[in-house]
Amino acid sequence: MAASERTPIGEDLARPMLAIALEEARAGLAEGGIPIGAALFSRDGTLLGRGHNRRVQDDDPSVHGETDAFRNAGRRRHYGDCVMVTTLSPCWFCSGLVRQFGIGALVMGESENFSGGHEWLAEHGVEVIDLHDGECISLLGGFIEHHHDLWYEDIGL
């Protein structure tokens, strides 16, 4: 199904999806990691997989929230009907994952603390929704304020 033929993701569906990603972000923070959570859903709202940034916990720089959720969702033949939900605009690594596997939509909690590849994804036909969520903004903003070295290590700066 072409992107233009899909029913857009509404905020009434996007907000409950974001709540799952926020649970994951809080779990990551409680574990001593970076508070970024994600979840992969089908367009009808069925949860396929969830995860959070685990690069500190696992000593693995590739375990971002989106990659953890994607791995936990398991293998699928097609991803066009999937929605990647993340508490933050995805970095280039995670934006590449969305593009590589043809995930059809991206819901993000915020892009204020960091603006990754979401505009690039939109240019390539991915439906992008930025909810400008206050809790997402304050959760990561507070983390960056108190752990700026760890944050900048995570985004590769």
Side-chain angles (χ1 to χ4, degrees):
M1 180 182 301
S4 61
E5 299 171 356
R6 295 186 196 124
T7 303
I9 302 293
E11 192 167 332
D12 58 327
L13 184 59
R15 287 271 172 203
M17 290 175 165
L18 181 62
I20 300 296
L22 260 166
E23 287 176 9
E24 288 293 327
R26 287 186 217 104
L29 183 61
E31 294 170 358
I34 297 165
I36 300 172
L40 188 68
F41 289 88
S42 63
R43 265 193 177 299
D44 68 4
T46 302
L47 178 63
L48 303 172
R50 56 191 291 169
H52 53 273
N53 186 303
R54 302 188 50 78
R55 63 173 295 282
V56 172
Q57 300 91 312
D58 294 354
D59 196 29
D60 180 347
S62 70
V63 188
H64 288 202
E66 297 89 340
T67 60
D68 196 33
F70 185 76
R71 288 173 179 156
N72 290 330
R75 185 170 158 237
R76 296 175 60 89
R77 186 169 173 86
H78 301 286
Y79 295 88
D81 65 338
C82 291
V83 181
M84 179 61 78
V85 181
T86 181
T87 56
L88 181 67
S89 174
C91 69
W92 287 106
F93 175 60
C94 295
S95 294
L97 179 142
V98 170
R99 182 88 168 102
Q100 172 71 30
F101 289 95
I103 295 172
L106 169 71
V107 171
M108 55 189 189
E110 63 115 339
S111 60
E112 186 175 309
N113 284 300
F114 175 77
S115 186
H118 67 273
E119 291 176 353
W120 173 73
L121 289 170
E123 290 170 5
H124 286 71
V126 176
E127 178 185 0
V128 175
I129 300 168
D130 187 345
L131 294 173
H132 308 283
D133 183 81
E135 185 175 355
C136 290
I137 293 167
S138 64
L139 182 64
L140 187 60
F143 179 85
I144 292 169
E145 182 180 339
H146 293 98
H147 306 282
H148 61 280
D149 288 345
L150 184 56
W151 167 247
Y152 287 111
E153 176 187 322
D154 188 61
I155 60 171
L157 296 177

